[in-house]
Structures are given as C-alpha cells and as structure tokens.
Amino acid sequence: MSARERSEASAIMAGLLAGSLVGESGIAVVSGPVAMGKTTLLATFTQQVRAAGGLVLPAVASESEAGIPLGVIAQLLQEASPSAPVGEQVNQLLAIGRAYLTASPGESPARLSTVDAQIVQSLCGVLLGLAGPRPLALVVDDVQHADPASIACLAYLARRMHNTPLLAVFSHGDPPDDRCAEFVEQLLRLPHAREVRLPPLDLDQVRDTAAARLGTGVAERAAVWALRVSGGNPLLLDGVLEDCRLGGHAASTAGYTRAMLSCLHRSPSPAEPVARALAVLGTPEPIARLLGLEAGEVTRCLAALDTAGLLEQGRFRHPGAASAVLADLGPAATAALHRDAAELRYAEGASAAVVAEHLLAGQGLRTSWSVSALDAAASSALSEGRGVKAIEYLRLACTLSGNRKELARIRVALLRVERRMGPGIAEQQIPGLLQAVHTGCLGSGETLAVVRALLWDGRFEAATEALKHLTDSDRCSGPETVMELRAARLWMRCSYTPLLGLLPSTEENPQELCGTPSTTESRRRYDAATVLDSVLTQEASHRAVPKAERILHGSRLHGTDLDTIECALLALTYAERPALARPYCDELIVAAQERGEPGSEARLHALRAEICIRLGDLPGAVLHSTASFDVVPTGEWGPAVGSPLASMMIALTSMGREDEAAELLYLPIPETMLQSRSGLHYLHARGRYCMAVRDWDGALADFQSCGELMTRWGMDVPGLIAWRNDAGDAWLRMGERDRARALLEEQLSRSERGGSARTRGATLRLLAATHEPRRRLVLLRQAVDALQESGDRYELARALADLTDMYNAVGETRRARVIGSQARIIADKCQAEPLSRLLPTDRDQPDTEPKAPAALLTDAEQRVADLVALGHTNSEIAKLLYITVSTVEQHLTRMYRKVGVNDRAQLASALFTGPHTQAIGV
C-alpha cells in the first residue's frame, strides 16, 4: 500500500472498471480535502481504463472558468473527437446551449425549462452514443467549480446512464458549496453510485513514503515530525520530506512553504483571507470580526483547512506556516492587516502586549491610545525579561508620539531599558534627551536618570549641561525631588566626585526624609546611595552591612535600577564583606543572563571580579572580568571600564601573567576615567603591575596619585583601596624602611578603627618586614590570624609564605614545613604562580629536626597530623586545609589506628620528638 493509494478507494474504483467490462454502469464520487490525492486517484483510474481498452473523456473544472456555460461538457465532447457530421452537430448544440440554457447558480440542476431540457438531452445523447462494447468513462476533476449548465447536463446524464455501460467519476473538494452539495446528494441517491472518501495518510503510510524518499534510518526519525506538520496531506508531506532531504526540517522550509501555499490557493474561498487573518491574530476567535465575515463561514473555512492538514485545532501545524502565509501576502498588505488587528484588539480590551505586537508589525498607527499601549506593553515585557522587545515598543512609541512631554518621558524610559542591554548611550539619542531637559519636559528624577547615563558613558560635558538646566529650573522642590536629589548627590560623591558641585545642594536632614512620601524605587535608590556613602566616607558604619543586605534581599533585577543594586553590592564589598556580596551578585548574574540583559550582566560581572580579588580568587577575577568584556566590549564602557580592567590586571599580575597584564595597559581609556571612582582602581592596579616588573618609582607614583585623589575626594578609607600598604611596599623595595613603616603604621591605625581584618592582616604582613626578627614573627602570626578571618586566600598565602621564611630563619624547620605546605596549597588554588615558586613542596623541604616514627600516613593525613602537633583544634585545621570538620575527624580516626594511640596528645608524641603541651599559634 503506497502513500498515495488507499486500499479501499482503489478497490471501489477497480470494481467500477470490472463492472463496466461486463456492461454495467457506475458512478464514483471522490471527495476529500484539498491536495489529499484525489487528482492522483483519478489519473490512476484513467490509466487503468485505457489499459483495459476503454475510452476516457476527462475534464477539469476551474473556478476561473465557472462562468462559461457548458465549459465542462465542451471539454468532454472535444475529448471524444466525434466524426465530422456529429462534430458539427455538437458545435451547434453547444452554441445554442450557451445562448439559451437558463439554469443559474442559484437553481437546482433538475429545474430546466423545456428548451433547456431539449438541449441537455441532445448533448447527453451524444455522450451516451459514444458508449459501446468497450468501457466509456467520464472523469471530471474538481466538479465543484463546474458551471451550472454543465452540472445540469451531468445530473441528467447520471439519471439516464443505468442501462448504458458508462462510468462517471467526479471529484470535489471539502467542503462543497450548496450547488455542488445538491448535485453530489443527487448522485449518491442513485443505486449505481459509490462515494470514495480519501482520508489523510496515517503514520505507517508516512513512514513508508519517508523511507522511499529518505532511507529507512532517517524515515524513523522524520516520520512523526512529518505527520505532525503535514497532517497526513500527501502534498504537504512531499514538501516536508523535501526539506528533510535538503538539510532537516529545522534548516529548510522551502518545500513545505510551496506545498502549503499551493493548498491554500486551491482551497475554497474565503480560505486564503481566513488563513492570513489567523497568521496575524494567532487565534481564530476574532477572525470573523476582523474580516467582516459571518462566523459560520469562518468556521467552515477553518474546518476545511484543518482537514487539509494545514491547521490543527485552529492553529498552524508547521512552525513556519504563519510567516510563509504573510510573506505570500506581501509586507504592505500584511502591515495593513496588523493595523486593522490592532484597532480590533484594542477595542475588544486585549492586553497591551497583544495590541503592541500588532502595532509593531503594522509599523505603527497614530491614534490616541497607541503610545500608551506601547508604553504599557514595554513595562510588561521588561518585567518578563524581554528587554529587546521592550526597546522595540518604546522606539515605535517615540515615532508615534506627538506630545512633547509624552515623547520626553518615553525617551527616558527607552534610555533606561537600553542601558540594561548595553551600558552606553546611543549617539542619536543625546540631542533628543538634552532637548527634553532644556525644555523642562522632564521631572527631576527623569533628568537625573539622563545625567547618570551620560556620566556612565563618559559624556561629562553633556551631563554638566543637563545639571545646569536642572539647577536653574524650579524642579528642585517637593519631597520626592528632594529625595532624588539627595540620592543623586550621594551617588555622585561616591562615583564622580569632581562633578558633585554641579548638583543643587539639599539642606534637608536625612532623618527628616524617613517620613517623606516616595516611590519604592526612589526610597531604595536613596537608601543604597546612603549606605555606599557611609562606607566610603565614614569607614563602614556598623549599620551599613545589614542595611545593604536588606536592600539586596528585596531587589529584583526587573524591578530595580542597576545603579541601586550596584551601590548595595559595592557597600558590602568596600565594607570588607565580599563573601556576603558574592551570593547576591551570582544570583543577579544568572537573572541577567536569563532575562537577556547584556548591559546588566556585564556590570555585574565587573562587580563579581572585584569581589573575587578581595577573596583572593584570582582565576575567578580573570573569569568574570573577561566575561564582562565578552558581553560588552571595552570601547563601550566609558569611564567605568577602569574597574574590570583593574580586577583583571591585578589578578593576571598576581598569577605571574605579566605579559597579558601589560596588554591591558595599551587599551585606550577615556580621559574622564580619572575623574571617577573606577579611575582609582585603575591607578592602583597599574601600580601593582609596576611592582611586579620592579618599576618601584612608577608604582609609587601611581599609589600616591591614588591616595591623593582619595584624600581630595573625601573617601580615603582602606576598604576602598589600602593605598598606603602598596606605597609602603614600594618604599620597602626601594630600601626606605622608615618611610615604609610610617605609612604602614598610619594604615594600621586606620584599619583598626575601621575593623577591617583583610586590610589589617595585609598591613601587619608588610609592617613585619620593617621590624627585627622577633617582633617580625609576632606580627606575621597576627597577620595570619587576621587574614584567616578575612577570607582573602591570596593575602593569606602571602602571609603564610613570609611566616615560613621566618620559621626557617630561626631554625624551626618543622613549623616552617607545616606552614609552607599550607601556603603552597593555598597559592596553588589561587594559581598564584610567582608565590608558588617561592614555596618548596613537601619533598623539597629540609627537615633538620629528628624524624618521626615510621607510619604509613597519606599526604592528607600527614598535613592534619602536622597541625595537630602544632596544637590546632579540629575546626582550625578544617579552616586551614579548606576541608570539613568531619573530614578532619575521619583522618584522626585512621591515624589513631595506624599509629596505635588513643588521643591527640599521644599522636603528637608518637609522631614528633618535641611534644606540644599547649596550643601553639602558627
């Protein structure tokens, strides 16, 4: 059984032919949806009749020829090739019939006038006279398009052929119109008539066809898909399989598109307009109202398209069908249909997103409601993580708006969304935004949003101009405005301090703002700016950390300005709590990726890189800073590029990858960067690079410039940059021990006031180098304790390395070996290659102390045993080795069994000659 032949249909047709060979008449009415194989079945039957020696008179009815009287009858008679006298008679009858036959499309084929009946009888007599000893078959395809006069003749012929060895086969599509339906009904009431219904192909038939076209292996994979999108329609199936042959159903749709459009063009009217409306609307329910058709007529068309395999439950089966239908319609007509749909759907109360999609596809429609619908749709799209779509809506709204204030507001909304996609600001947007500021069309909050965007993009002159207009206007009053201005001043003081004087001052007491009515976003923006300001100017107020966490806990990327989130994350980072900032930042990065906001993602990666630096995660810093530049290239960052560049430069330098770090110094940077907080990080990182390449003078100049700017800007706090540590290190390398000590002691004093364990530990490590050995050992132990608390693994490894050197210097090689081993482990995890090279592995460590008793300890057990001998608790060992307390306990249990002891003291005594009777710090 092939895909184009149904066994039942073939059996009926074969039975008709067999009957005609023994003198019987028969009628077959072949029906089925468009392109279901009716024509193929008729062609096969025609070949079979001719092969049996019969005569076939074929005709094809056409919708374009339905107005030609007797057009189908003429085709049949012309195929008969009658003799000359008969031929002349036939031509006369046709001429008379076309002149006088009065049956109309609205009349029944049985209702004929006396003259009409005589003409029909004469024409049918000619056809009946052709029947003889050999079979005669009249085959009419698409009879639903036959002209009324031909229908009348065929109906007459069918009623009188039961005593004549004549076959008549008619095909029609679904659904037949009323006139054709009446004709078919008459035929099927005759005793010698049979109905042949062609159903869609089933899965087995599709699989067989696919195997013949594509091969068995591919057929098994393609058959289910092909059946689903073709609905078993043979023509559609051909197209689908052709696409599969050319590269897979997802790669090509040309074959299906051709087949689908062919089916659509051949479907009964108004199937094409209905399919186009469905492609535009996406749902069948409003089609009748859009096209101005009767609901029942639309329902019949949808049913026909469904049975033809184009639709399934009112939806296109193939994912590319709707776009193909509209492409066939053409862009101008498609846009017009979308505009009509927009008006209809708005009037029906559809969602703003639905209306906006039609407006977008229709290239806009100037109405009183278009801009508000697009604006509302943009807000919804942004909340759903569809920022690109929100931008499209707002850009169209800008082109449609005819109101200055409305246009200004839409432009600022567009600016805010575009910053989520990319942190820069489009050149073509600036004139319109500045004009909106100059003409007073923007409120203070909107003006400040423009200013922040301009500053972030490094357009300081434009930002200055906007600020001047804000200062000169009367838009600086009102509680909401005061809060926005206060937040803006705090943000600018922390980010672009030199421009702070351009903002209008607010004399409001911050405590008085607590009861000021404000939006949630305004309040959150003010709180975030306040907490960052407190960290950078008051050395980490004790309230800053929990307040920053509260802000982040209640923030969502879709509902919070990224400047607000950035302020809160930086507050935790600069307050020396990077471990608290890390999970919030990671969660927000994932959210930015899921929402498709590359601008937000890039800025968050830059923040995460800074967090990694403060946790000693050098590979992580490289990873995140690289990711920030992968998402947004360096040339699109503006002054803020200094922060991710600094993180990458410090990490690469500490990892011994100086050549890569040097390449970063050749990247062009904005001149305005050194007027921003990011410039401080860049100067500090460049100084660290200079230290690595032994350019002590260059390093010292950068560290001192950084310190001078921090002091001038009123943010000289160690949590931002402990520049005195680095400058002290440079003085030490230059042999200026006293200068180094003075700076480092000043830094230590500041760190103790601010409670920064990380900065304090790093300062103590450097300060130790300015003292004599005994004092140096004490300071290094204190440094290690502080850095263990801080969580900075790289700085901890540096302190442990220095402590290792000190223990070796004083002859305590056992302790040196233990501490050096831990330093090496941590340095390796940080991928700090220069530091790792300074630390010998366990097998390289000299050990002048007496050997421990032989014991079959693993390396991991030996490290635990070393720390037990030094008097550390299980929790301390776990922290030093970056393992769990449970793992430490398991190691101890195995060691007790191997060495044959019962407790820690016995273990230390058995493994080491000098028993440790008290807890000894590193």
Side-chain angles (χ1 to χ4, degrees):
M1 180 177 64
S2 73
R4 292 179 182 251
E5 295 180 49
R6 303 353 177 231
S7 59
E8 184 179 350
S10 299
I12 292 173
M13 303 303 287
L16 288 175
L17 178 56
S20 70
L21 293 174
V22 295
E24 296 178 358
S25 64
I27 297 175
V29 180
V30 182
S31 64
V34 63
M36 202 57 69
K38 300 184 295 295
T39 300
T40 300
L41 182 64
L42 266 60
T44 301
F45 177 71
T46 297
Q47 293 172 359
Q48 291 171 345
V49 172
R50 287 173 176 161
L55 174 65
V56 179
L57 302 182
V60 178
S62 170
E63 188 173 12
S64 62
E65 299 175 1
I68 301 176
L70 298 173
V72 171
I73 297 298
Q75 289 186 56
L76 295 173
L77 291 170
Q78 287 167 4
E79 287 291 331
S81 301
S83 59
V86 177
E88 291 179 7
Q89 179 188 1
V90 167
N91 291 334
Q92 290 176 0
L93 287 171
L94 289 173
I96 295 171
R98 286 168 177 162
Y100 295 104
L101 203 59
T102 58
S104 67
E107 294 177 340
S108 167
R111 296 173 183 172
L112 298 172
S113 67
T114 304
V115 176
D116 295 339
Q118 292 175 353
I119 296 170
V120 169
Q121 183 179 13
S122 299
L123 289 170
C124 291
V126 173
L127 291 172
L128 291 170
L130 296 173
R134 62 175 180 169
L136 173 63
L138 307 181
V139 179
V140 181
D141 197 6
D142 288 336
V143 73
Q144 74 272 14
H145 298 314
D147 60 279
S150 292
I151 289 288
C153 288
L154 293 173
Y156 182 93
L157 183 67
R159 292 192 297 270
R160 285 162 177 77
M161 61 180 282
H162 59 279
N163 293 323
T164 305
L166 176 66
L167 299 177
V169 179
F170 307 101
S171 74
H172 70 84
D174 288 340
D177 58 24
D178 293 341
R179 179 170 52 82
C180 181
E182 184 178 355
F183 171 63
V184 169
E185 184 181 350
Q186 287 182 29
L187 293 178
L188 294 178
R189 284 201 297 264
L190 299 174
H192 50 286
R194 298 289 303 275
E195 182 177 18
V196 179
R197 178 74 183 171
L198 292 182
L201 303 175
D202 60 23
L203 180 58
D204 289 335
Q205 292 171 313
V206 170
R207 188 180 291 112
D208 290 343
T209 305
R213 295 281 296 276
L214 307 175
T216 305
V218 177
E220 289 298 324
R221 298 192 301 271
V224 175
W225 157 263
L227 179 61
R228 184 165 69 247
V229 298
S230 71
N233 182 305
L235 182 60
L236 296 178
L237 178 63
D238 278 348
V240 172
L241 295 180
E242 179 66 12
D243 292 336
C244 290
R245 187 184 66 81
L246 294 176
H249 51 259
S252 172
T253 60
Y256 175 84
T257 297
R258 284 193 299 270
M260 182 270 298
L261 292 176
S262 175
C263 287
L264 195 57
H265 296 329
R266 292 159 55 184
S267 296
S269 180
E272 277 193 87
V274 168
R276 292 164 181 167
L278 179 62
V280 163
L281 294 167
T283 180
E285 194 272 331
I287 292 177
R289 296 187 295 277
L290 179 64
L291 299 179
L293 299 174
E294 292 293 333
E297 188 175 14
V298 171
T299 300
R300 286 192 297 273
C301 284
L302 291 172
L305 295 173
D306 196 299
T307 57
L310 276 74
L311 306 182
E312 183 178 29
Q313 296 181 349
R315 300 290 189 275
F316 286 102
R317 285 177 173 270
H318 196 288
S323 57
V325 168
L326 296 179
D328 183 61
L329 177 62
T334 298
L337 194 56
H338 272 292
R339 290 192 290 272
D340 291 343
E343 291 193 282
L344 172 68
R345 300 300 277 151
Y346 177 79
E348 293 177 340
S351 69
V354 170
V355 175
E357 274 300 295
H358 289 304
L359 289 172
L360 198 62
Q363 302 168 9
L365 181 66
R366 294 188 182 277
T367 66
S368 59
W369 47 263
S370 296
V371 173
S372 60
L374 289 165
D375 188 19
S379 297
S380 298
L382 187 61
S383 68
E384 295 165 3
R386 298 183 296 123
V388 173
K389 185 60 70 175
I391 289 174
E392 292 178 355
Y393 293 152
L394 292 171
R395 285 177 177 170
L396 179 59
C398 287
T399 66
L400 297 178
S401 177
N403 180 282
R404 270 194 327 177
K405 287 192 174 183
E406 179 186 64
L407 176 59
R409 180 181 58 79
I410 294 296
R411 280 177 170 162
V412 173
L414 175 60
L415 172 66
R416 284 171 166 156
V417 181
E418 286 184 331
R419 289 192 68 201
R420 292 174 176 268
M421 299 298 108
I425 179 171
E427 185 74 34
Q428 63 269 24
Q429 277 219 63
I430 295 175
L433 290 168
L434 289 179
Q435 182 183 15
V437 172
H438 297 168
T439 55
C441 293
L442 298 178
S444 59
E446 292 167 326
T447 301
L448 291 170
V450 173
V451 169
R452 282 195 295 271
L454 292 170
L455 290 174
W456 214 98
D457 204 42
R459 301 177 186 274
F460 283 17
E461 292 184 5
T464 300
E465 186 180 347
L467 286 171
K468 286 180 179 177
H469 280 277
L470 178 64
T471 304
D472 296 340
S473 70
D474 57 355
R475 288 172 281 167
C476 298
S477 59
E480 180 79 15
T481 299
V482 170
M483 178 169 287
E484 287 284 1
L485 284 172
R486 179 76 179 175
R489 285 188 62 84
L490 294 172
W491 176 81
M492 193 171 289
R493 181 162 67 185
C494 297
S495 306
Y496 301 95
T497 311
L499 301 181
L500 181 61
L502 297 173
L503 264 177
S505 60
T506 54
E507 302 300 328
E508 298 287 339
N509 186 335
Q511 297 299 324
E512 295 176 0
L513 292 177
C514 294
T516 301
S518 62
T519 64
T520 301
E521 182 57 27
S522 295
R523 170 59 65 179
R524 188 176 286 134
R525 184 160 41 243
Y526 173 76
D527 289 345
T530 301
V531 75
L532 178 59
D533 180 72
S534 70
V535 170
L536 291 181
T537 60
Q538 302 172 28
E539 299 193 4
S541 165
H542 67 282
R543 297 180 181 178
V545 171
K547 191 171 184 179
E549 286 196 279
R550 283 197 300 272
I551 293 170
L552 290 169
H553 185 72
S555 296
R556 298 294 181 271
L557 200 59
H558 65 269
T560 308
D561 186 82
L562 194 60
D563 289 337
T564 300
I565 292 173
E566 191 175 55
C567 285
L569 287 171
L570 286 173
L572 290 178
T573 304
Y574 294 150
E576 302 284 15
R577 301 294 182 86
L580 293 179
R582 177 174 52 193
Y584 292 112
C585 197
D586 288 342
E587 182 179 339
L588 289 164
I589 288 173
V590 172
Q593 292 170 339
E594 291 176 347
R595 291 170 55 80
E597 296 183 6
S600 302
E601 182 187 348
R603 292 174 65 179
L604 290 165
H605 273 302
L607 288 167
R608 187 64 173 85
E610 177 67 25
I611 291 169
C612 287
I613 288 293
R614 291 166 185 265
L615 291 172
D617 180 7
L618 304 180
V622 173
L623 174 69
H624 286 285
S625 53
T626 300
S628 70
F629 293 135
D630 287 342
V631 177
V632 176
T634 55
E636 299 178 15
W637 275 79
V641 72
S643 293
L645 278 179
S647 298
M648 183 180 283
M649 201 180 308
I650 288 175
L652 290 173
T653 300
S654 301
M655 296 168 75
R657 295 158 61 179
E658 290 89 354
D659 290 345
E660 295 176 62
E663 291 296 322
L664 301 178
L665 295 173
Y666 290 99
L667 293 175
I669 57 172
E671 294 181 3
T672 52
M673 186 184 71
L674 294 180
Q675 298 181 59
S676 69
R677 186 187 65 250
S678 293
L680 300 176
H681 289 293
Y682 184 84
L683 286 173
H684 176 237
R686 191 172 67 184
R688 291 282 292 269
Y689 168 78
C690 290
M691 291 288 288
V693 297
R694 306 178 69 81
D695 178 9
W696 318 128
D697 291 327
L700 184 61
D702 278 338
F703 296 144
Q704 288 178 332
S705 296
C706 182
E708 288 170 5
L709 289 174
M710 290 172 64
T711 302
R712 187 188 311 162
W713 295 349
M715 55 177 66
D716 185 11
V717 293
L720 176 58
I721 298 172
W723 66 271
R724 291 177 180 81
N725 279 355
D726 297 286
D729 193 9
W731 283 121
L732 276 173
R733 305 297 180 91
M734 298 167 68
E736 297 286 348
R737 180 174 296 188
D738 291 341
R739 287 187 173 185
R741 182 183 296 174
L743 268 179
L744 293 170
E745 286 179 347
E746 182 182 356
Q747 184 66 78
L748 185 63
S749 173
R750 288 173 174 268
S751 299
E752 289 174 346
R753 290 200 306 269
S756 169
R758 176 176 177 266
T759 303
R760 183 172 180 274
T763 306
L764 287 169
R765 180 184 71 82
L766 292 166
L767 191 60
T770 68
H771 287 274
E772 45 81 26
R774 185 173 299 177
R775 176 62 178 161
R776 188 178 304 169
L777 195 58
V778 173
L779 291 174
L780 286 173
R781 286 173 174 169
Q782 293 175 356
V784 169
D785 289 342
L787 291 168
Q788 283 179 332
E789 178 186 345
S790 76
D792 188 333
R793 292 185 296 174
Y794 177 65
E795 285 297 331
L796 174 60
R798 297 176 79 183
L800 289 172
D802 288 356
L803 187 56
T804 298
D805 291 341
M806 278 304 305
Y807 277 135
N808 277 322
V810 298
E812 295 190 35
T813 57
R814 169 65 63 185
R815 292 191 178 189
R817 184 177 67 80
V818 173
I819 301 304
S821 174
Q822 305 314 309
R824 179 62 183 260
I825 292 170
I826 299 171
D828 287 346
K829 287 183 177 179
C830 295
Q831 297 183 24
E833 183 62 26
L835 185 58
S836 294
R837 287 197 301 267
L838 298 175
L839 296 164
T841 60
D842 286 346
R843 61 177 178 272
D844 298 330
Q845 286 277 12
D847 189 0
T848 58
E849 295 182 0
K851 303 294 183 183
L856 299 177
L857 300 184
T858 66
D859 290 342
E861 291 168 348
Q862 184 64 59
R863 285 193 289 270
V864 173
D866 289 340
L867 294 173
V868 167
L870 291 174
H872 287 287
T873 65
N874 287 1
S875 59
E876 290 171 341
I877 294 171
K879 190 174 182 180
L880 282 168
L881 296 180
Y882 293 94
I883 57 178
T884 65
V885 174
S886 175
T887 302
V888 174
E889 292 170 350
Q890 293 172 29
H891 284 317
L892 286 172
T893 299
R894 286 193 293 270
M895 285 190 290
Y896 291 164
R897 186 170 60 253
K898 288 180 180 180
V899 180
V901 297
N902 296 318
D903 57 33
R904 302 166 73 88
Q906 291 176 0
L907 179 66
S909 178
L911 294 177
F912 303 99
T913 53
H916 300 277
T917 57
Q918 58 183 359
I920 302 174
V922 294

